[in-house]
Amino acid sequence: MPFRELYWNISAHWLIYPLFLPFAVACLYGCYRVLQVVLVGQPDAGRPPLAAQIRVVADQVLLQRRLLAQPIAGSIHVAISWGFAILFVATCLVAAQDYLGVPTLRGAFYLYFMSLTVDLGGVAAIVGVALALVRRYGARSERLWKPRDQEGYALFLWLLLAILVSGFVVEGLRIAATADPWGLWSPGGWLVAAGFTGLSSAQQALWHRVTWWGHAVLAFGFIGLVPFTLIRHTLAAPANIALRRAAASGVIAPVALEDAEHFGVSTVRGFPRKDLLDLMACTECGRCQDACPAWTTGKPLTPKGLILDLRDHLMAEVAGRSSGKTMVGEAVSEEVLWACTTCGACHQACPVFIEPIPKIVEMRRFLVMEEARFPETMQAALRGMENRGHPYQGAVPSRTAWTEGLNVPVLAEKGTAEYLYWVGCAAAFDERAQKVARAFATILQAAGVDFAILGDEERCTGDVARRIGNEFLFQMHAQANAEALNRYGVKRILTTCPHCFNTLKHEYPEFGGRYQVTHHTEFIARLLRQGQVRLTKSLGQGVAYHDSCYLGRHNRMYAAPRDILSQISGVRAIELDRHGENGFCCGAGGGMMWLEERTGKRVNVERTEEALRIRPDVVGTACPFCLSMFEDGIRAKDATDTLQVLDLAELVVRAM
Amino acid sequence: MVHVLVVTEVQETLPSRNTLEVLGAARSLANATQGAVSTVVLSAPVEGLASALFDGGADEVIWVEHPLLVTPEPEATVAALTQVVPQVGAHVVLLADDSAARDVAPCLAYRLQAGLVTEVTAVQAEGEAVVFRRPTYGGRCLAEMVATRFPVVGTVKLRSMEPAPERGARPGQERRISVRLDESHVRTRVVQRVAEEVRGVKLENARVVVSGGRGLKGPEPFLQLQDLAQALKGAVGATRAATDAGWVPVSWQVGQTGKTVSPELYIAVGISGAIQHLAGMGGSKTIVAINTDPDAPIFKVAHLGVVADFKTLLPPFTARVRTLTEA
Amino acid sequence: MNVVVCIKQIIDPEIPAEQFKLDPASKRQVRGGLSLVISAYDQNALEVALQLREKAGGKITALSLGEPEAQGAVKSAMGMGIDAGVLVSDPTLAGSDSFGVAHILAKAIHKIGLPDLILTGCVSGDTGNKMVGPLLAEELRIPSVAFVSRIEAKDGKIVARRIVEDGYELVETPMPVVASILSDDTNVPRYSKLKDIMAAARKTVPVWKAADLGIDPSCVGPGGRRLEVRDVGVVQRDSRCELVTGDTPAEQAERLATRLRELKVL
């Protein structure tokens, strides 16, 4: 009967409890402090249902799906975390035998699980830690070293390694000293044992005892350290993942302004508790930073830096040692806040589901609504929205100017229509984008679709105002638009702009506007599949589709545009390096369309360079902002002869 | 029989270009009504000035000398003119619409209980009335104002009238009028005068003006405009957007609240063409617009346009201009 | 230091040419659906007042003469942080010329209480007139300085930067004084804080009629005008712009230079 003697050679093993006690107390106290810190925030709107919590935890904590989006780094983490989980379970099972008499160290279970599986877990963990050390110190992966040069992290890795190695040493010495007949079932320990066969029994026993207690101290020390260091993520991350907000990354929560004492968030206590939990769950992995278009192009904004600065400020505030430092302006500089395009790449990349965007928007709300302190060009755009109902300047006389020669019905005259084509401000007032509206209207007419536009009754959806932080202006526009749409009994809306799409679909129900909103790429793809539009020409061009953040990442719509391309004969679809959910922002979201980038490289130039590298003939877009950014980028790179940018509607019309 | 009184500006010992324009308008009005033109000079007699004024169309030069008028505050000017105008018995008092007139004209009209029209671009008699034309609605429109009671004060928009055609040595009279002025008339005091450094040609007199607007996005690109202006022997101007942003001195501003210019050639770089800017350069003979936005309103008033980024267009253009002008 | 800022509500002038329409009967612009704004230089004046209050304290009152809708302009000013506002609105006052407006404003200012400083915009955003400021000073028998971009207050006097052709003058005057404000990079109108906007929305703006002010009827209204506006016509502009094209900037530059040479301008 295979077995292992419980606590062999360790006569005073009961001492582990008093030894563990102070570390346990420290750990509990630390956890209590973290909870206290998080509870400093505002009560949350609600909690996700239990089923959803369980599902996402199973997905992300057990299967670690997001972590594995980066296969190598993810595997390292799986090896370390699963390895340790197995070791931890094993240790608990030993205690189960000790107190409950459960025969865990006996029989087949002992061999297959407690020996073999546990050993392999330990080996995997060691390999993982070793690779982690290589990644951090050898490869010097940038996301680990910027924006803070944290030498101290190595200590955790070395500590883990010491715990693991000492564990194997203990096992090796026991196997050697007891000439364990089942030693081979613990392959790691068995290999280590080979190194100790030269020692005498007495020496083996002594070293075993020493290492056993050393291993205990290291392990207990590690447990004690957990809540005081980033290792707290082992507890905070699963909690954060379970409590993740249901709303998609592109949706900003509304806020009641009527009787509000303050607008936006200017101190840490103003944040909802979930946002503070975010700060404590951060593992400083930097995947968000790598994905961020602002950081990539040399701006001071990095989501990792933002979260860590906020976390430090939070801890200092709660401990009373922030010495009057303001959160907005000093802990987090205004320049950082105005560099964000709200593209959501950071939300997508974060393995523990931290959300920088709502925090940034709340701080912007403070700057805009409470302090009226924000970039002048954005002020001009918002003034335009207040006075003229749209953020553009220029000479276009009305919202129907683009329809010249096309006979597009206006709802005021037509009375009713099956679909309302929401044109948006860009397609109405930006000369280049007007061509997209014309192309889409042409397609709708060719397909015999019953549609109409609001014309001059349309006002900006307010997406820009909300993202810049002027929630008041957004709400005024949303209310006015919803009223106009409801007055006409509009049920179905088509739009050529992902920002309008996102706002109308997700953010208007709050104001009484509930509509079935379809983006033009989805609609065109459907029309093509159903044969309502016939394509007769072949285009013979290489087309790289650029995923719009507000259509793609925020609304997970990647297929329809590609479907359209596949239905145009002669089109050779090429994928950009960063495509689909890893798409790289064009740089115009979050109000950035109205802000000159003064630091680093312009985001749209970076993306244009990426496009030029794969040498397509055309970049296909589905958003008027992306279109504008590419036009600008192509001009900046002097590539107007080699590269064209066209909306997918324009491509379809060319093939008709 | 309209008697026109022109308030004269002197530059060195000659009437300024502004004054000659006003005199020209006054002369046509007087000729059309068998009237007369008097000019008042707020200084002691200056050698040669009277004959220049007669050549410019004046029938009479009135000298008004007083210590407080040597470096006149607007208030002193107003106080003096308030006494002079009734003595002259003029129907119409004309001044050039320059920075001094902004303070002088309204106060003078008030004290004379006279009517007031500013930025006059045309004036003519119609029977017993005098009709003035002036821009309004930012320059989009032209208003016709009719004066039937006199006196009436008018400020003449610069570069919109022609000096009187030269008629060789003309006869004229001179006289002096004395005024009573003391410190109590002058409550404001100029503590310091700061002249912006002007290199080369002065904006208001330049034959060629190269102007920059919002599209320049900062002060440094104005150096490119200066290169071009130098090659064309012209001056550099700016729009309100550029001066409000502090990129260039306010004195470079061309527009409704800045300078009015009417050069032979006006090159508008990165300027959208807001109506208030057009108010200051709409009279230019040839307008060239350089802008990346083909929709910009400037293209509706320009004679020649290039849809291009000035940063890449100006260097070869300036080089070409240099070769052509040196040839 | 107490300040009164005179503001005028006008139809938004930053509109494309096609949206500008004149009413042939009244010779005034037709509003249509266009939005109403505070005349641009009046906004600079509000900003100057706010900056002076930040330095020297005091109360700022916004004073407007106009249609009843102009209450919106006064509230807008209060949204920027102005302490109080008054609107003078009376059908009998419509159609007044600058002299009439100055008279009305002067009466209103007497009712408010003569402040230390009165600010107006240097040029009116619609008519382009620049007379009201100095005329108002004459009505009040105080000095005026026109086209001022910056003001500093010091021991009962102000030092104003008056812009002239070739630079500027620093002009010193005792208070009370009227200054008409020109825009400058130091007086860009601030964006309003939402708190102030909402507070202003809750206040009511007092509206004064002609009878409340003891106005002399002979100098206001259409009958009080010193000159008659006989006609206002839109200036037709020749919109034939010749576009110079080229594949490269060098080519465009070449063609432009050639064309200018042909036109004998170069």
Side-chain angles (χ1 to χ4, degrees):
Chain A
M1 165 60 100
F3 77 101
R4 191 204 308 169
E5 187 187 323
L6 198 52
Y7 299 126
W8 171 82
N9 193 36
I10 311 295
S11 41
H13 58 89
W14 55 271
L15 274 173
I16 53 171
Y17 295 104
L19 183 61
F20 183 45
L21 190 61
F23 296 105
V25 167
C27 180
L28 284 172
Y29 175 69
C31 292
Y32 166 72
R33 289 283 302 156
V34 169
L35 199 60
Q36 248 199 342
V37 160
V38 168
L39 288 176
V40 144
Q42 302 299 310
D44 291 291
R47 229 173 288 166
L50 193 58
Q53 291 188 40
I54 293 175
R55 195 174 31 240
V56 72
V57 166
D59 224 20
Q60 302 293 342
V61 179
L62 290 178
L63 297 179
Q64 302 193 12
R65 204 186 288 270
R66 237 190 219 182
L67 270 164
L68 288 167
Q70 289 196 7
I72 299 175
S75 303
I76 291 177
H77 187 270
V78 167
I80 300 177
S81 57
W82 271 85
F84 260 86
I86 293 171
L87 290 167
F88 183 73
V89 163
T91 314
C92 296
L93 288 174
V94 167
Q97 169 152 330
D98 194 12
Y99 294 109
L100 304 175
V102 181
T104 54
L105 287 174
R106 300 211 117 75
F109 183 73
Y110 166 60
L111 291 180
Y112 284 99
F113 183 72
M114 298 299 281
S115 286
L116 186 59
T117 311
V118 169
D119 237 50
L120 291 178
V123 168
I126 288 184
V127 169
V129 172
L131 286 176
L133 280 165
V134 166
R135 242 184 95 82
R136 192 173 278 271
Y137 289 95
R140 289 244 152 196
S141 188
E142 246 212 34
R143 63 174 168 81
L144 299 171
W145 288 98
K146 295 265 169 70
R148 297 167 174 213
D149 204 348
Q150 301 280 50
E151 285 290 344
Y153 291 172
L155 286 174
F156 296 128
L157 291 170
W158 290 116
L159 181 56
L160 285 177
L161 200 57
I163 295 173
L164 289 162
V165 167
S166 61
F168 276 105
V169 166
V170 165
E171 194 181 45
L173 283 164
R174 175 186 60 78
I175 290 174
T178 60
D180 189 341
W182 300 285
L184 208 46
W185 283 90
S186 307
W190 189 79
L191 280 171
V192 173
F196 291 119
T197 43
L199 297 176
S200 71
S201 288
Q203 279 172 321
Q204 287 172 342
L206 175 63
W207 279 112
H208 176 262
R209 207 171 297 138
V210 167
T211 322
W212 196 95
W213 284 104
H215 174 86
V217 168
L218 287 173
F220 292 161
F222 186 80
I223 291 175
L225 277 176
V226 164
F228 299 97
T229 63
L230 65 80
I231 309 302
R232 71 173 82 91
H233 79 270
T234 48
L235 300 168
N240 202 42
I241 291 170
L243 294 172
R244 67 170 292 203
R245 290 192 181 114
S249 48
V251 178
I252 307 288
V255 64
L257 297 171
E258 282 297 310
D259 303 302
E261 295 249 316
H262 294 288
F263 303 114
V265 170
S266 60
T267 63
V268 267
R269 287 158 210 272
F271 280 121
R273 290 168 179 164
K274 171 65 175 63
D275 281 303
L276 298 183
L277 180 59
D278 268 4
L279 304 180
M280 305 313 288
C282 179
T283 64
E284 312 191 27
C285 76
R287 290 183 184 207
C288 54
Q289 184 168 286
D290 265 3
C292 177
W295 179 257
T296 306
T297 52
K299 316 290 184 305
L301 166 67
T302 146
K304 175 179 171 186
L306 175 77
I307 297 300
L308 295 180
D309 287 339
L310 283 174
R311 185 191 67 191
D312 288 351
H313 183 77
L314 168 66
M315 313 267 281
E317 266 286 313
V318 172
R321 47 181 170 79
S322 64
S323 56
K325 200 176 184 187
T326 60
M327 182 175 80
V328 181
E330 288 172 352
V332 176
S333 81
E334 289 176 40
E335 201 191 340
V336 158
L337 290 174
W338 296 117
C340 177
T341 65
T342 67
C343 75
C346 52
H347 286 223
Q348 169 99 15
C350 183
V352 303
F353 290 72
I354 294 173
E355 296 179 305
I357 294 179
K359 301 174 189 38
I360 291 175
V361 171
E362 284 289 11
M363 289 190 275
R364 283 184 176 185
R365 281 175 174 167
F366 165 71
L367 284 174
V368 173
M369 294 198 288
E370 186 115 339
E371 303 272 290
R373 198 167 75 227
F374 61 110
E376 264 194 48
T377 42
M378 284 177 168
Q379 287 184 23
L382 293 188
R383 276 210 192 89
M385 277 178 67
E386 285 164 3
N387 292 338
R388 291 184 288 274
H390 66 87
Y392 286 88
Q393 297 183 325
V396 179
S398 74
R399 282 183 183 264
T400 50
W402 66 272
T403 63
E404 196 179 308
L406 278 179
N407 205 8
V408 172
V410 175
L411 205 50
E413 290 154 17
K414 193 166 193 259
T416 167
E418 195 185 341
Y419 291 98
L420 170 77
Y421 171 27
W422 183 276
V423 181
C425 303
F429 297 106
D430 178 297
E431 200 233 27
R432 178 62 186 89
Q434 284 179 339
K435 299 201 176 102
V436 177
R438 292 179 69 84
F440 188 52
T442 307
I443 295 171
L444 290 175
Q445 284 169 342
V449 174
D450 174 26
F451 77 101
I453 62 174
L454 270 182
D456 282 300
E457 288 187 273
E458 210 183 275
R459 309 193 80 207
C460 182
T461 53
D463 155 81
V464 156
R466 179 169 249 189
R467 269 102 192 125
I468 287 178
N470 195 333
E471 180 67 10
F472 183 64
L473 186 57
F474 168 75
Q475 292 189 4
M476 289 205 311
H477 277 247
Q479 245 143 26
N481 281 324
E483 266 166 33
L485 288 166
N486 291 341
R487 218 181 325 121
Y488 285 110
V490 169
K491 295 268 179 301
R492 295 199 181 81
I493 299 181
L494 303 173
T495 175
T496 41
C497 171
H499 291 259
C500 296
F501 170 78
N502 184 63
T503 295
L504 288 169
K505 181 167 178 170
H506 300 296
E507 299 181 337
Y508 269 42
E510 187 85 25
F511 299 95
R514 271 171 215 25
Y515 320 102
Q516 188 188 81
V517 190
T518 310
H519 187 256
H520 78 301
T521 51
E522 241 195 301
F523 200 71
I524 293 175
R526 205 188 305 162
L527 290 178
L528 289 173
R529 289 255 162 240
Q530 290 170 353
Q532 282 172 273
V533 173
R534 293 219 176 287
L535 302 182
T536 55
K537 303 200 185 103
S538 175
L539 288 187
Q541 288 178 311
V543 180
Y545 172 65
H546 161 83
D547 288 281
S548 144
C549 298
Y550 271 75
L551 190 66
R553 212 178 347 260
H554 288 313
N555 283 288
R556 289 187 288 277
M557 291 164 68
Y558 309 105
R562 291 173 167 83
D563 192 22
I564 295 176
L565 288 180
S566 71
Q567 297 194 63
I568 305 179
S569 133
V571 161
R572 198 178 66 249
I574 321 170
E575 289 289 8
L576 291 155
D577 267 340
R578 294 178 282 198
H579 68 273
E581 25 172 71
N582 299 319
F584 191 81
C585 185
C586 72
M592 299 303 289
M593 182 81 179
W594 283 275
L595 191 58
E596 281 296 321
E597 292 166 71
R598 295 211 182 276
T599 331
K601 189 198 255 190
R602 276 158 50 206
V603 175
N604 63 331
V605 169
E606 165 83 16
R607 186 59 163 168
T608 306
E609 285 176 357
E610 184 179 354
L612 287 167
R613 276 200 286 275
I614 58 172
R615 279 200 269 272
D617 299 300
V618 175
V619 167
T621 57
C623 168
F625 285 171
C626 297
L627 183 67
S628 183
M629 290 285 113
F630 264 102
E631 288 280 9
D632 192 57
I634 292 172
R635 264 198 300 267
K637 298 298 293 181
D638 247 327
T640 40
D641 292 333
T642 49
L643 183 60
Q644 232 192 339
V645 56
L646 292 170
D647 186 275
L648 292 180
E650 293 179 297
L651 272 171
V652 168
V653 167
R654 283 175 185 214
M656 272 165 60
Chain B
M1 275 224 15
V2 177
H3 188 180
V4 188
L5 177 65
V6 173
V7 179
T8 304
E9 251 170 38
V10 184
Q11 234 157 36
E12 313 287 300
T13 55
L14 290 173
S16 69
R17 179 177 169 185
N18 297 351
T19 296
L20 290 175
E21 289 176 2
V22 180
L23 263 181
R27 188 73 253 163
S28 343
L29 185 58
N31 288 350
T33 60
Q34 281 95 50
V37 177
S38 303
T39 63
V40 55
V41 187
L42 301 177
S43 90
V46 174
E47 180 83 36
L49 181 58
S51 49
L53 286 169
F54 297 144
D55 284 346
D59 297 307
E60 178 186 42
V61 172
I62 302 168
W63 304 103
V64 178
E65 191 183 349
H66 194 285
L68 280 175
L69 292 173
V70 174
T71 42
E73 297 285 351
E75 288 187 284
T77 307
V78 172
L81 291 175
T82 307
Q83 295 170 46
V84 168
V85 173
Q87 286 190 48
V88 171
H91 301 99
V92 178
V93 180
L94 295 179
L95 304 85
D97 188 53
D98 58 11
S99 62
R102 296 162 182 164
D103 284 295
V104 169
C107 298
L108 178 61
Y110 186 91
R111 293 182 199 187
L112 294 175
Q113 286 169 26
L116 172 62
V117 206
T118 58
E119 289 189 279
V120 174
T121 55
V123 60
Q124 62 198 66
E126 268 181 32
E128 296 296 314
V130 175
V131 178
F132 300 87
R133 261 193 231 110
R134 68 174 302 271
T136 183
Y137 287 113
R140 284 190 215 272
C141 300
L142 220 45
E144 259 182 29
M145 320 278 293
V146 182
T148 48
R149 292 194 324 252
F150 302 95
V152 60
V153 178
T155 70
V156 176
K157 188 166 160 76
L158 303 181
R159 310 296 170 270
S160 53
M161 303 288 203
E162 294 295 327
E166 286 183 42
R167 293 172 291 172
R170 283 187 78 251
Q173 294 168 290
E174 295 182 53
R175 60 169 162 141
R176 304 173 91 116
I177 292 183
S178 58
V179 290
R180 260 197 294 274
L181 284 180
D182 58 61
E183 298 289 336
S184 71
H185 288 105
V186 185
R187 297 160 293 184
T188 63
R189 190 171 74 87
V190 173
V191 172
Q192 194 189 355
R193 264 192 188 86
V194 176
E196 311 283 4
E197 203 190 288
V198 175
R199 275 186 260 119
V201 190
K202 277 182 87 171
L203 187 53
E204 38 281 54
N205 300 328
R207 212 193 114 258
V208 177
V209 174
V210 183
S211 266
R214 192 190 300 270
L216 265 64
K217 302 202 166 101
E220 301 85 24
F222 274 90
L223 293 170
Q224 274 192 308
L225 269 62
Q226 275 178 322
D227 281 345
L228 178 57
Q230 207 176 45
L232 289 164
K233 298 199 186 32
V236 180
T239 63
R240 194 183 142 196
T243 57
D244 271 3
W247 298 339
V248 290
V250 177
S251 56
W252 289 25
Q253 191 190 125
V254 171
Q256 191 183 32
T257 48
K259 300 200 163 74
T260 304
V261 298
S262 63
E264 293 286 318
L265 175 61
Y266 189 89
I267 304 181
V269 183
I271 292 178
S272 62
I275 202 82
Q276 295 85 354
H277 181 70
L278 299 182
M281 45 60 80
S284 310
K285 306 293 179 302
T286 306
I287 301 171
V288 175
I290 300 172
N291 199 310
T292 50
D293 176 11
D295 251 352
I298 191 81
F299 288 112
K300 291 207 162 67
V301 296
H303 302 100
L304 287 175
V306 191
V307 178
D309 186 345
F310 73 92
K311 286 195 281 291
T312 49
L313 182 65
L314 285 191
F317 182 62
T318 308
R320 193 78 188 98
V321 166
R322 281 209 185 93
T323 359
L324 284 177
T325 50
E326 275 155 27
Chain C
M1 190 175 87
N2 293 334
V3 182
V4 170
V5 183
C6 300
I7 60 176
K8 182 180 180 187
Q9 186 183 60
I10 60 174
I11 299 169
D12 185 5
E14 309 211 1
I15 53 172
E18 294 88 344
Q19 284 185 322
F20 181 86
K21 303 233 181 336
L22 278 177
D23 171 24
S26 67
K27 324 269 191 320
R28 311 262 269 313
Q29 184 184 6
V30 175
R31 185 180 162 192
L34 299 170
S35 50
L36 298 169
V37 299
I38 300 177
S39 175
Y41 294 109
D42 295 353
Q43 292 183 42
N44 296 102
L46 288 169
E47 176 62 28
V48 170
L50 287 165
Q51 288 179 17
L52 284 168
R53 187 183 66 191
E54 274 160 16
K55 288 210 196 84
K59 182 176 177 194
I60 309 173
T61 309
L63 168 62
S64 187
L65 165 67
E67 304 290 304
E69 295 90 81
Q71 281 184 70
V74 177
K75 286 202 175 171
S76 195
M78 298 198 312
M80 275 173 79
I82 303 296
D83 302 296
V86 173
L87 172 65
V88 177
S89 183
D90 192 314
T92 61
L93 301 176
S96 302
D97 64 5
S98 297
F99 293 90
V101 170
H103 176 76
I104 299 163
L105 291 176
K107 290 287 186 189
I109 289 174
H110 278 304
K111 192 172 156 91
I112 294 171
L114 190 64
D116 304 295
L117 177 63
I118 298 163
L119 298 178
T120 70
C122 60
V123 167
S124 166
D126 51 3
T127 60
N129 284 334
K130 42 197 175 178
M131 309 185 269
V132 170
L135 290 178
L136 177 58
E138 290 291 305
E139 283 274 338
L140 295 169
R141 309 271 182 272
I142 58 181
S144 82
V145 192
F147 280 62
V148 168
S149 64
R150 301 182 198 184
I151 297 182
E152 269 171 42
K154 215 169 45 177
D155 326 307
K157 289 191 196 216
I158 62 157
V159 176
R161 182 187 280 220
R162 179 206 282 147
I163 304 300
V164 295
E165 274 85 358
D166 55 355
Y168 61 87
E169 295 173 340
L170 291 178
V171 179
E172 197 183 79
T173 34
M175 297 196 260
V177 61
V178 175
S180 70
I181 301 297
L182 178 66
S183 62
D184 179 276
D185 54 333
T186 61
N187 62 30
V188 176
R190 60 189 60 181
Y191 201 77
S192 304
K193 295 185 187 168
L194 184 57
K195 201 180 296 211
D196 294 335
I197 295 177
M198 293 175 95
R202 278 184 239 115
K203 295 196 188 141
T204 40
V205 174
V207 180
W208 292 343
K209 305 245 159 245
D212 301 324
L213 299 173
I215 285 174
D216 173 3
S218 69
C219 61
V220 296
R225 299 191 62 93
R226 298 190 188 187
L227 279 95
E228 176 208 336
V229 180
R230 187 165 73 185
D231 191 29
V232 176
V234 178
V235 173
Q236 299 302 333
R237 282 192 198 273
D238 191 354
S239 59
R240 259 175 295 122
C241 175
E242 186 189 319
L243 282 179
V244 172
T245 54
D247 292 322
T248 62
E251 216 180 277
Q252 290 168 324
E254 176 65 48
R255 291 209 187 132
L256 179 61
T258 311
R259 197 73 191 93
L260 288 173
R261 199 40 26 139
E262 284 168 13
L263 292 170
K264 300 220 177 33
V265 191
L266 189 55

